[in-house]
């Protein structure tokens, strides 16, 4: 399993399965699971070298077994929605005189047909669009990379070139899914920037444990971001209908 050594002055853990197989649909693309220790939380900062399970437990017990845990309030609290963050990752002039910006957004709208075309480009098997729409709607965060090209006349063309999404309990844990970048834009550091930006966006929401599933082919990609396989010997477990 993998652990991210540090980001935003806190330690991050990532869990990667060595012998595993995960599919979103019957033939969905495999993903990678990242686990992150709680960073600087309002109540307590967990020690960086504590075990991963200790980091999970700390969110409930705060390392104090005698602590009295107050029951949840009966008053329904308004659900906090992550604020949209936009970052210009790249700006360049093209040989034909047009200009291009690559923009990361943590809450941009996604055209499901444009997303399907992007999945086709990276070679992912198609999934039912109704389920894709549901997965986006039910995600805690949907992060995108868009290329915005401006012509001489000032006309803009916007194209989806990357995406990742995260599900979460809105308190302690989040899992990143469906990380993909248009093949024609790969090799420019945009995949790394996409993952780093979505992690930072989750950290701003005080989400402490961040996880994802990774294909064996991209383990080195996550290692280069600071992830370490199998923290504390913890393994992910899967159940499949027989």
């Amino acid at each position: 399993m993998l652990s991210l050594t540090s980001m935003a002055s806190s330690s991050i853990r990532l869990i990667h399965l060595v012998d595993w197989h995960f599919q979103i649909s019957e033939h969905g693309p495999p993903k990678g699971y990242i686990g992150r220790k709680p960073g600087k939380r309002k109540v307590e900062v967990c020690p960086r070298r504590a075990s991963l399970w200790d980091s999970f437990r700390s969110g409930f017990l705060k390392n104090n077994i005698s602590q009295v845990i107050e029951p949840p309030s009966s008053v329904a609290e308004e659900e906090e929605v992550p604020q949209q963050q936009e970052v210009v990752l790249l700006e360049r002039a093209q040989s034909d005189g047009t200009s291009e910006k690559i923009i990361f957004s943590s809450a941009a709208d996604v055209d499901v047909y444009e997303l399907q075309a992007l999945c086709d480009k990276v070679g992912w098997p198609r999934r039912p669009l109704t389920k894709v729409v549901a997965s986006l709607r039910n995600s805690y965060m949907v992060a995108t990379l868009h290329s915005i090209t401006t012509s001489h006349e000032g006309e803009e063309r916007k194209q989806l070139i990357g995406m990742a999404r995260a599900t979460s309990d809105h308190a302690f844990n989040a899992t990143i899914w469906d990380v993909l970048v248009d093949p024609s834009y790969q090799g420019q550091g945009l995949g790394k920037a996409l993952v780093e930006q979505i992690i930072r966006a989750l950290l701003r929401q005080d989400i402490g444990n961040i996880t994802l599933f990774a294909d064996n082919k991209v383990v080195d990609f996550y290692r280069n971001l600071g992830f370490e396989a199998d923290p504390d010997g913890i393994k992910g477990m899967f159940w499949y209908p027989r």
Side-chain angles (χ1 to χ4, degrees), residues 30 70 73 75 87 97-98 112 151 159 165 205 207 227 242:
E70 297 181 358
S73 172
V75 179
V87 179
T98 61
V112 67
S151 67
Q159 177 187 0
R165 65 185 182 91
Q205 300 302 315
I207 302 294
F227 294 105
R242 302 181 185 278

Side-chain angles (χ1 to χ4, degrees), residues 28-230:
K31 296 288 172 263
Y33 172 79
I34 305 176
R36 178 191 178 277
K37 274 188 180 178
K40 293 183 178 179
R41 310 190 67 82
K42 295 180 181 179
V43 177
E44 177 185 25
V45 178
C46 296
R48 181 174 179 272
R49 297 304 301 173
S51 72
L52 183 60
W53 290 130
D54 287 340
S55 75
F56 286 130
R57 287 195 295 268
S58 67
F60 300 97
L61 301 180
K62 301 175 185 173
N63 294 329
N64 183 354
I65 60 175
S66 63
Q67 178 182 357
V68 177
I69 301 177
E70 297 181 358
S73 172
S74 58
V75 179
E77 297 181 359
E78 184 178 352
E79 181 178 322
E80 182 179 354
V81 178
Q83 294 183 349
Q84 180 172 352
Q85 300 285 334
E86 286 195 352
V87 179
V88 178
L89 301 177
L90 182 65
E91 188 170 1
R92 58 193 173 191
Q94 305 284 31
S95 58
D96 59 359
T98 61
S99 62
E100 181 183 31
K101 289 182 180 180
I102 307 296
I103 297 179
F104 166 89
S105 175
S106 62
D109 293 332
V110 176
D111 184 303
V112 67
Y113 295 103
E114 194 175 11
L115 175 58
Q116 184 181 63
L118 180 59
C119 292
D120 289 343
K121 289 182 180 180
V122 299
W124 286 10
R126 288 197 170 188
R127 296 175 286 183
L129 287 181
T130 54
K131 288 194 172 185
V132 173
V133 171
S135 70
L136 295 172
R137 182 177 61 245
N138 294 321
S139 292
Y140 177 70
M141 184 177 296
V142 178
T144 58
L145 295 178
H146 278 94
S147 166
I148 300 179
T149 304
T150 305
S151 67
H152 297 288
E153 295 77 18
E155 296 181 356
E156 287 189 350
R157 176 179 176 269
K158 187 176 182 180
Q159 177 187 0
L160 179 69
I161 63 168
M163 194 205 76
R165 65 185 182 91
T167 54
S168 177
D169 59 12
H170 298 209
F172 302 105
N173 309 294
T175 302
I176 298 173
W177 306 90
D178 298 343
V179 180
L180 72 165
V181 175
D182 189 316
S184 62
Y185 284 87
Q186 293 178 9
Q188 303 178 40
L190 294 176
K192 175 183 176 182
L194 174 60
V195 174
E196 288 178 340
Q197 290 293 336
I198 194 172
I199 289 175
R200 291 188 181 116
L202 290 168
L203 290 175
R204 283 192 290 268
Q205 300 302 315
D206 202 25
I207 302 294
N209 296 307
I210 302 173
T211 63
L212 68 77
F213 291 88
D215 188 294
N216 283 334
K217 295 179 180 178
V218 295
V219 169
D220 287 341
F221 168 77
Y222 290 109
R223 287 189 191 279
N224 290 334
L225 286 172
F227 294 105
E228 177 186 342
D230 297 335

